Amino acid sequence: MTDPEPGPRPALTTRRPRLWLELSVIVVVKLTLFFTAKHLWFSEPLARHMTIPQPQVEQQLLGTAAKPVPPVSPTRGASHDLTR
């Protein structure tokens, strides 16, 4: 099979700048969404009093034989609002 019209073809380089522009825009949008989600949902706990002591986290993740940590109990009358 041959080309029905054997004339000159458009150069591939005329399309490359547009392709690079589209790819760059997509990468920038994805990075922006990723860092926004990271900042919104994974930066800090919602309430400071809802944290786990560091030795307890190490014991669970690393399996180290740390001293037993007493459970953290909330103080009486503690409010659970997000403004703290």
Side-chain angles (χ1 to χ4, degrees), residues 25-39:
V25 168
I26 290 170
V27 168
V28 167
V29 168
K30 283 186 176 188
L31 285 173
T32 303
L33 291 173
F34 173 75
F35 283 112
T36 302
K38 180 181 178 266
H39 176 71

Side-chain angles (χ1 to χ4, degrees), residues 38-59:
K38 180 181 178 266
H39 176 71
L40 286 176
W41 294 308
F42 301 107
S43 61
E44 291 184 25
L46 292 177
R48 298 246 185 242
H49 67 279
M50 298 176 108
T51 57
I52 302 172
Q54 186 69 25
Q56 189 176 1
V57 173
E58 289 175 0
Q59 183 180 10

Side-chain angles (χ1 to χ4, degrees), residues 3-8:
D3 259 350
E5 194 173 310

